[in-house]
Every structure is written in C-alpha cells, then in structure tokens.
Amino acid sequence: MNIIQQLEAEAIEQFKAGKSIPEFRPGDTLRVGVKVVEGDRTRIQNFEGVCIARANKGLGSSFTVRKISFGEGVERVFPLYSPTVDSIEVVRRGDVRRAKLYYLRGRTGKAARIAERRDLRHGPQAASDAEPAAPETETAEG
C-alpha cells in the first residue's frame, strides 16, 4: 500500500469514528441531513429521495439522490465523507437490478416507483422459528 492510500485510509477511519454511515445501495430511499449555513447560523435541512448512483472512490466516494419537488426532478450529489453531510438515514430499501438508475430521469408517476426489498432472513419466517409451536391435540369425535 503506498503512502497516499495509507493517508486516505486513516482519514476515512477518523471520519467513521465521529459519524456512522449506514449500508445503502442504489434504489434505497434516503434521508440526508445537510448542514446549511445562513449568515452566522447553521441548520440541518433534510433531503429525502431515491439513491440513483454510488461512486466508491476511497475518500472521494459520493452518492446521488433524486427526488421530485413540485413536479420537477431534483438531483444532488453528496460526498460520502463530507462535514456538510450531517446524517444519512435509510427510509426504505429498494429492489433493483442495476447499479446506476439513470433511467428514472425519464419516468414520472407510477412508472418511477421502485419495489421494496424484503429481507427474507429477518422476516416473518425468522419470528415463527423463534417461538415454539403449540402442540396439536387430536379430538376423538364419534
């Protein structure tokens, strides 16, 4: 590993010590808390939309979030390891088969929906395995 990669890895570890970044993929609906500076005050503004792309390039990693605001599509590219990104929250998981969802730009309404990904490992099947089944008794009828 060369010196630049070492410095980059140290910077990423230092950033992760202060903030937690959830696992998310393209297709997931995210709520990104962005620090907005207005004069001498700062506040956090949420930007909620679908993650349509992710670029994993070490310290320069970024992700693109798209939402529809007043009938107009709005996209923002957020650096993953940035002090302006306060928090990232996964609202719902999307079931998609592509890494880049740029085809959503040409779709509106119901055509732009993404199905929700259901995790079968943690679903109702896992809950029924945890509870012991009640023994069935046979009744003797005539």
Side-chain angles (χ1 to χ4, degrees):
M1 194 188 298
N2 65 18
I3 214 158
I4 294 174
Q5 289 173 333
Q6 287 176 348
L7 290 172
E8 212 171 73
E10 289 173 10
I12 289 172
E13 289 301 318
Q14 184 181 4
F15 184 84
K16 283 185 176 179
K19 294 180 186 174
S20 65
I21 299 171
E23 278 192 32
F24 63 93
R25 306 191 314 202
D28 294 351
T29 302
L30 305 176
R31 185 177 297 129
V32 183
V34 185
K35 290 182 184 174
V36 177
V37 178
E38 295 173 337
D40 56 344
R41 297 185 321 189
T42 60
R43 64 182 178 90
I44 296 172
Q45 181 176 3
N46 287 328
F47 188 90
E48 185 172 340
V50 177
C51 177
I52 63 168
R54 240 189 118 158
N56 293 315
K57 298 173 185 161
L59 196 59
S61 297
S62 64
F63 60 99
T64 306
V65 179
R66 177 179 174 83
K67 74 172 183 175
I68 305 296
S69 179
F70 298 102
E72 195 70 30
V74 179
E75 290 183 11
R76 275 188 79 172
V77 180
F78 296 102
L80 192 59
Y81 304 110
S82 170
T84 58
V85 175
D86 183 62
S87 63
I88 302 170
E89 180 185 341
V90 179
V91 177
R92 67 189 285 263
R93 308 239 175 228
D95 188 20
V96 294
R97 296 185 179 193
R98 298 175 183 271
K100 305 285 191 259
L101 306 179
Y102 297 138
Y103 67 89
L104 290 177
R105 292 172 176 165
R107 296 189 179 186
T108 57
K110 286 187 176 182
R113 289 184 303 178
I114 295 175
E116 188 163 5
R117 185 172 76 230
R118 289 178 283 154
D119 196 2
L120 299 176
R121 292 172 291 174
H122 304 291
Q125 184 69 18
S128 65
D129 291 343
E131 299 173 9
E136 294 182 19
T137 57
E138 294 183 19
T139 58
E141 291 184 21

